[in-house]
Amino acid sequence: MNFEEAQKWMHAAIVAEEAPGEADEVLKSTNGVCAHRRLGVYRDMYRVRMSESLQMDYGLLQSVVGEEEFESLCWRYLKDFPSTSYTLNDLGRNFADFLEIQADLPPYVGEIARLEYAIVRSFDAFDPTPADWVELSALPLETLCQKSLRPLPSFVGERFNYNLNSLYDAYVDETLSPGIVPQEQVCNLLFFRENFQVRRLSVEDLSWKLYQGLRESRDFGEALDPVLALAKTPDEQQKLLASFQEWVGRSLLYSA
Amino acid sequence: MLSVAEQCSNLGFGVGLRTVHYTDFMESCPEVDWLEALTENYLGTGGRPRQVLRQLSMRYPIVLHGVSLSIGGSSPIDRHYLKLLKVLADEVQARWISDHLCWTGYAHHNLHDLLPMPFTEASLAHVKNRVDEVQNYLGRAILLENPSSYASFVFDGISEAQFLREIVLSTGCGILLDVNNVYVSSVNHGLDAKVYIDTLPAEAVGQFHLAGHSQREGYLLDSHIGPVPEPVWDLFRYTLARVGSRASLLEWDEEIPSLEVLLEENEKAKTLAALPSPAIQIHPELHL
Ligand SMILES: [Fe+2]
């Protein structure tokens, strides 16, 4: 066995569900500790490290499904999506997608993972300099509409089919009841970074559409016009503009 | 390329920068000679950690210590990682950059562990080439740390210390000598820790690590928990006499105490380093 084959073997032996039988053909048994036990140290540490890393970022999911189920979901996930990064920060990159296609899981499980990954993304994002509120508000509407304004990478939006806003509130307040199932109700959440903490905004459908428009449109006018057309009442229009003002005021947009 | 000697001045006694102490460092500027930051916690992130490190780099000398270079791995060196590392090192004016003599995964899958190297002539040539590649890219010599190990391969042909020595002599890289790791691995494999220290080229040692470990059934675990145990202090005394004083850092990663407790532990290291070194008899079998 050359050194590459040895590494290939040890890697497979660490991640395998069952420890391989041939450890003593590759590793030394010395100092009163057999090769299987020595391999076991690395196997155990791998499991602890991966679990702890996912627990840290997916605390709500763990609270909702319970510790045992969470552990089992982590291992199912890691079998298909082992870490390929230099950092563990991004270990959950595919967690939500993976959970959403598991036939034996209720759909809110994947949604919860998506919410928690949005927080990770917001926390870690590299942001360009935000657009200046004073400068923007001095512009005539026509000029403003021609500006390409985009949400900062740390200003992350997700739309859910369950009321995860209330669920997350209960998690933060430590009032989650065991076995809780979130209520089926569309919920639009925007996450943003303020003083290096991730904060959450719950927004109505029109504001959500404007946020999406800002992500996808050529300029502010293209994002705003179709949404304004959907706003049936002056009150709705007012709310929409208030959302936009809040985002600019909190420095969540940048000029692309 | 910047040599080890050009980079590794004796900065004194440092502390590993951990999230729980961010506020202490930012608000009260405690008296610490230098800070060691875990590279991967600051790469590819635009959040608070990077901002804090950037600000602290204006007040303290920063050293970057990585765990994902996988210098002994079989997959090609991750050029994207190196690129990010270089940017970060420039940004915080890192005094030097270190990682571990280990591999971390196979076929681009990262197990995020410091896995034991197979010590053969072929793996030695492989690691030498990779150290050259990394150093050429970074434009500076790197330091390689001896990891704690719990297993070794039946076909190992040379010792870890000899392996490290050969790499240093061939590539000009330096050594981050973790005294606790030497102790832990020596106990785990039934080897003589002092022979390990004696085998290394002293002038290549650029930094020391000190840490605590935990007793497990049949082996010691490099847990970085608690104060430095007495046998590690003993080995540190021996190392100081053999190698001389170097920039030293206490690693404490489990049940991390207050900064005051960490600094008190650092005082012990300072006291030892200030004592005159006793004459040391180098192991007679070594021809250095
Ligand atoms: Fe260390």
Side-chain angles (χ1 to χ4, degrees):
Chain A
M1 186 182 264
N2 63 32
F3 83 89
E4 271 192 64
E5 289 163 346
Q7 291 182 341
K8 185 178 180 184
W9 174 86
M10 190 165 179
H11 181 276
I14 289 171
V15 299
E17 243 164 271
E18 300 287 331
E22 74 280 9
D24 48 358
E25 290 168 29
V26 186
L27 301 175
K28 284 181 190 163
S29 295
T30 52
N31 216 27
V33 184
C34 72
H36 294 278
R37 181 76 201 99
R38 290 181 178 278
L39 174 65
V41 176
Y42 289 99
R43 283 175 51 84
D44 293 348
M45 289 197 296
Y46 176 65
R47 276 146 188 78
V48 170
R49 201 166 38 252
M50 294 300 125
S51 291
E52 281 181 355
S53 173
L54 288 171
Q55 273 167 25
M56 206 143 56
D57 290 337
Y58 298 88
L60 171 61
L61 181 60
Q62 189 185 16
S63 302
V64 170
V65 301
E67 267 176 50
E68 212 172 297
E69 173 71 354
F70 181 77
E71 187 81 8
S72 144
L73 294 177
C74 289
W75 290 109
R76 282 165 62 182
Y77 167 62
L78 287 169
K79 245 167 90 179
D80 287 3
F81 295 97
S83 172
T84 53
S85 167
Y86 57 83
T87 172
L88 279 169
N89 287 353
D90 216 20
L91 188 60
R93 170 187 282 270
N94 300 295
F95 204 18
D97 289 347
F98 171 83
L99 295 172
E100 276 169 355
I101 56 166
Q102 303 305 307
D104 60 333
L105 296 175
Y108 60 82
V109 169
E111 288 209 342
I112 294 172
R114 201 144 51 81
L115 179 152
E116 296 195 286
Y117 186 56
I119 296 173
V120 171
R121 281 160 59 207
S122 175
F123 183 82
D124 282 335
F126 271 107
D127 283 342
T129 310
D132 186 77
W133 170 228
V134 179
E135 244 172 64
L136 286 184
S137 49
L139 294 176
L141 186 62
E142 206 174 310
T143 318
L144 183 64
C145 282
Q146 285 166 0
K147 265 192 116 46
S148 177
L149 288 172
R150 300 226 180 281
L152 289 174
S154 65
F155 186 26
V156 178
E158 289 285 1
R159 182 176 168 89
F160 304 100
N161 294 311
Y162 289 83
N163 187 348
L164 299 191
N165 195 39
S166 311
L167 192 74
Y168 204 83
D169 278 340
Y171 171 61
V172 172
D173 299 341
E174 298 183 7
T175 55
L176 265 188
S177 20
I180 191 164
V181 171
Q183 196 191 349
E184 212 171 331
Q185 180 193 354
V186 169
C187 160
N188 309 303
L189 294 180
L190 301 178
F191 302 89
F192 63 97
R193 212 162 58 201
E194 193 175 71
N195 296 326
F196 303 112
Q197 304 265 344
V198 175
R199 307 206 179 278
R200 180 170 35 108
L201 283 175
S202 174
V203 294
E204 292 180 3
D205 277 351
L206 286 181
S207 298
W208 168 254
K209 284 193 167 75
L210 179 62
Y211 170 86
Q212 268 195 316
L214 288 170
R215 277 235 171 278
E216 293 156 10
S217 305
R218 193 181 60 239
D219 54 39
F220 177 55
E222 194 182 294
L224 182 67
D225 289 346
V227 191
L228 259 186
L230 291 172
K232 299 277 183 272
T233 63
D235 185 44
E236 281 183 335
Q237 291 182 356
Q238 207 49 50
K239 274 188 183 165
L240 192 59
L241 290 174
S243 283
F244 176 70
Q245 282 169 343
E246 182 181 4
W247 302 341
V248 180
R250 287 182 183 272
S251 302
L252 303 179
L253 304 179
Y254 72 102
S255 297
Chain B
M1 184 180 84
L2 276 174
S3 68
V4 173
E6 283 167 319
Q7 297 177 84
C8 300
S9 52
N10 187 349
L11 293 176
F13 297 83
V15 166
L17 179 61
R18 302 293 180 263
T19 321
V20 288
H21 298 139
Y22 279 177
T23 311
D24 289 323
F25 277 109
M26 295 296 282
E27 288 177 1
S28 53
C29 278
E31 254 188 63
V32 174
D33 294 340
W34 58 283
L35 297 174
E36 185 185 74
L38 293 173
T39 307
E40 288 73 13
N41 292 351
Y42 303 91
L43 286 188
T45 169
R48 183 178 181 227
R50 183 94 172 213
Q51 176 80 8
V52 168
L53 187 64
R54 208 178 302 133
Q55 289 183 12
L56 292 178
S57 72
M58 293 167 198
R59 301 181 211 158
Y60 299 95
I62 302 288
V63 167
L64 291 177
H65 182 51
V67 291
S68 285
L69 182 59
S70 199
I71 200 75
S74 337
S75 309
I77 293 276
D78 182 345
R79 283 295 177 127
H80 178 61
Y81 174 85
L82 280 190
K83 192 177 164 190
L84 296 177
L85 174 58
K86 197 171 185 192
V87 170
L88 177 66
D90 288 345
E91 191 176 302
V92 302
Q93 294 174 43
R95 298 306 180 97
W96 60 86
I97 295 170
S98 63
D99 205 293
H100 298 80
L101 176 62
C102 70
W103 57 289
T104 64
Y106 188 79
H108 300 289
H109 288 175
N110 192 350
L111 300 184
H112 300 275
D113 199 354
L114 311 172
L115 300 166
M117 279 305 295
F119 297 121
T120 66
E121 287 301 326
S123 66
L124 180 59
H126 176 74
V127 176
K128 281 179 185 174
N129 286 337
R130 286 162 71 94
V131 172
D132 285 338
E133 182 188 339
V134 170
Q135 295 188 146
N136 286 337
Y137 185 90
L138 295 174
R140 65 204 304 181
I142 58 166
L143 265 58
L144 287 180
E145 176 179 349
N146 56 300
S148 281
S149 80
Y150 311 95
S152 56
F153 294 89
V154 289
F155 50 78
D156 280 352
I158 51 175
S159 73
E160 180 181 294
Q162 283 170 323
F163 193 91
L164 188 50
R165 177 185 165 79
E166 292 294 326
I167 292 167
V168 167
L169 296 180
S170 160
T171 66
C173 80
I175 298 170
L176 194 182
L177 180 54
D178 188 316
V179 180
N180 178 57
N181 288 353
V182 173
Y183 181 78
V184 165
S185 294
S186 299
V187 170
N188 289 347
H189 301 295
L191 302 169
D192 186 335
K194 290 179 179 171
V195 171
Y196 192 111
I197 304 286
D198 291 348
T199 304
L200 302 178
E203 63 285 356
V205 176
Q207 185 194 330
F208 295 133
H209 267 173
L210 288 160
H213 55 251
S214 312
Q215 179 71 54
R216 294 283 188 270
E217 209 177 318
Y219 68 97
L220 294 182
L221 182 73
D222 174 31
S223 53
H224 291 187
I225 193 170
V228 177
E230 205 44 52
V232 177
W233 284 127
D234 284 344
L235 190 60
F236 186 50
R237 271 183 209 102
Y238 181 86
T239 307
L240 284 170
R242 168 77 180 83
V243 173
S245 183
R246 297 287 192 277
S248 304
L249 181 119
L250 174 70
E251 296 183 292
W252 196 323
D253 291 304
E254 290 289 327
E255 297 171 18
I256 301 174
S258 68
L259 202 54
E260 291 82 71
V261 173
L262 275 184
L263 296 181
E264 270 170 37
E265 198 65 4
N266 248 357
E267 284 301 317
K268 290 187 201 166
K270 268 186 208 179
T271 310
L272 284 186
L275 291 175
S277 301
I280 287 287
Q281 186 77 46
I282 293 177
H283 199 275
E285 282 170 26
L286 292 170
H287 305 288
L288 304 175

